[in-house]
């Protein structure tokens, strides 16, 4: 594949990451909502259930695919919520144009949070005096501040604070050469020379900066026919095609961020690959048509570990009454 220059420009991401976080009341409301299982039909599933930010799981649940209400199993692996604010579309298939739009989906998904409608979740939350107070403080100009758009917007505002721009590679990119080991630097060189950067480019290793709603997609597997297709069931789920029904979208997927990738096992849309080293090996074959050596895999894994940021300790708030 064609090699591409790898250029970092950290200025815009810092602004983007704090833009929605400038209203502390909005973020406070969003944090309460993010952790509240009462957004689900049976009061068992919260946003944090599948996108766990409390125990350094990397903003995921560590499962192949997530478990919703009534112990139902979802169809796809839960993407990390860390640094999701920097992505131009959400979900594996890019069907949501923003964090706020994404937040509305799981609430009414019958397998995930299972609420019959957005109206019912608003009725449920709106009966709680604590939420009435926080919604009013976050949206003081609204006559009826408790509504689904405000609820989703508040969750998105909290999620926009979940950024980790403090990894060893971030330090290295800013000039601190000692931040990366020799092996990590060797892995970074291979990341570029092998062609991994053709897809995982940009500040967040998720492709170029695009306007909201414009997704950066790649076919996976780009080179079908390897032993991995069957071993890891790579072809059953047709990706973005399931949303658009357009033939050109078959097996097209939003390119995920590689930030904190070492913390987000298992891997790929179906969570079939358990380890990062195996994921690297699979990507080499399916996306680059290369059989990577063990040394290549080891070097790349060490480099990918350098993309792990410092995750802050986040304590769930007490439920509002």
């Amino acid at each position: 594949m064609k090699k591409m220059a790898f250029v970092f420009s950290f200025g815009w991401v810092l602004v983007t990451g704090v833009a929605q976080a400038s209203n502390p009341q909005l973020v406070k409301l969003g944090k309460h909502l993010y952790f509240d299982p009462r957004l689900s039909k049976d009061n068992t599933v919260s946003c944090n259930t599948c996108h766990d930010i409390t125990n350094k799981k990397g903003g995921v649940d560590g499962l192949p695919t997530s478990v919703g209400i009534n112990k139902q199993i979802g169809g796809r692996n839960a993407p990390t919520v860390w640094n999701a604010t920097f992505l131009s579309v959400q979900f594996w298939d890019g069907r949501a144009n923003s964090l706020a739009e994404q937040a509305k989906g799981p609430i009414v998904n019958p397998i995930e949070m299972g609420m019959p409608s957005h109206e019912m979740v608003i009725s449920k939350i709106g009966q709680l005096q604590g939420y009435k107070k926080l919604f009013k403080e976050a949206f003081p100009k609204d006559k009826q501040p408790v509504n689904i758009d405000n609820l989703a917007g508040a969750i998105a505002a909290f999620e926009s604070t979940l950024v980790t721009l403090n990894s060893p590679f971030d330090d290295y990119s800013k000039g601190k050469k000692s931040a990366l080991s020799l092996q990590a630097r060797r892995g970074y060189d291979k990341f570029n020379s092998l062609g991994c950067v053709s897809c995982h480019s940009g500040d967040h290793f998720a492709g170029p900066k695009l306007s909201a709603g414009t997704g950066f997609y790649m076919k996976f597997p780009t080179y079908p026919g390897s032993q991995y297709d069957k071993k890891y069931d790579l072809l059953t789920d047709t990706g973005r095609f399931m949303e658009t029904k357009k033939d050109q979208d078959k097996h097209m997927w939003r390119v995920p961020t590689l930030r904190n990738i070492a913390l987000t096992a298992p891997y790929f849309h179906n969570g079939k690959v358990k380890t990062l080293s195996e994921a690297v090996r699979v990507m080499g074959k399916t996306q680059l048509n290369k059989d990577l050596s063990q040394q290549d895999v080891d070097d790349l894994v060490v480099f990918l570990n350098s993309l792990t940021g410092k995750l802050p300790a986040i304590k769930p708030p007490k439920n509002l009454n």
Side-chain angles (χ1 to χ4, degrees), residues 208-220:
K209 179 186 175 185
L210 299 171
S211 58
T214 304
F216 182 62
Y217 303 98
M218 182 56 61
K219 186 176 182 181
F220 176 71

Side-chain angles (χ1 to χ4, degrees), residues 16-27:
T16 304
V18 299
Q20 294 186 55
S22 59
N23 182 339
Q25 295 303 321
L26 186 61
V27 172

Side-chain angles (χ1 to χ4, degrees), residues 92-289:
W92 279 100
D93 55 19
R95 65 184 182 274
N97 293 337
S98 66
L99 284 175
E101 185 178 337
Q102 185 278 329
K104 295 178 183 180
I107 294 173
V108 293
N109 185 303
I111 295 177
E112 297 180 57
M113 300 172 90
M115 289 297 292
S117 68
H118 287 137
E119 290 75 18
M120 289 193 69
V121 75
I122 290 302
S123 176
K124 186 178 182 181
I125 293 298
Q127 294 176 18
L128 302 171
Q129 293 301 317
Y131 271 120
K132 286 182 179 180
K133 180 176 182 292
L134 285 190
F135 269 93
K136 185 61 178 177
E137 292 173 348
F139 301 96
K141 296 181 181 180
D142 289 11
K143 291 183 178 180
Q144 295 181 322
V146 186
N147 61 63
I148 189 60
D149 289 333
N150 287 351
L151 181 148
I155 293 174
F158 171 65
E159 290 178 337
S160 75
T161 69
L162 303 177
V163 300
T164 58
L165 306 181
N166 51 16
S167 70
F169 186 83
D170 290 324
D171 292 337
Y172 175 79
S173 69
K174 296 172 185 175
K176 187 179 179 181
K177 302 307 178 184
S178 62
L180 293 191
S181 67
L182 288 175
Q183 187 174 16
R185 279 180 265 175
R186 188 167 65 237
Y188 175 50
D189 289 339
K190 290 181 179 180
F191 184 85
N192 285 281
S193 64
L194 289 169
C196 309
V197 71
S198 296
C199 298
H200 293 285
S201 61
D203 295 327
H204 304 288
F205 304 88
K209 179 186 175 185
L210 299 171
S211 58
T214 304
F216 182 62
Y217 303 98
M218 182 56 61
K219 186 176 182 181
F220 176 71
T222 297
Y223 294 94
S226 75
Q227 71 271 27
Y228 299 121
D229 292 358
K230 183 177 181 180
K231 184 176 182 179
Y232 297 121
D233 191 23
L234 301 183
L235 296 173
T236 299
D237 190 333
T238 53
R240 186 159 170 75
F241 172 78
M242 296 180 70
E243 177 67 17
T244 68
K245 306 305 180 185
K246 296 179 180 179
D247 286 342
Q248 64 265 34
D249 287 334
K250 284 185 177 178
H251 304 292
M252 296 294 287
W253 301 91
R254 184 207 66 185
V255 175
T257 178
L258 295 184
R259 284 187 177 273
N260 302 312
I261 191 68
L263 304 178
T264 61
Y267 299 102
F268 304 130
H269 59 276
N270 56 14
K272 294 284 188 180
V273 177
K274 295 181 179 180
T275 67
L276 185 54
S277 58
E278 181 69 354
V280 167
R281 193 173 288 106
V282 171
M283 289 295 284
K285 188 63 176 178
T286 62
Q287 302 309 99
L288 304 171
N289 201 26

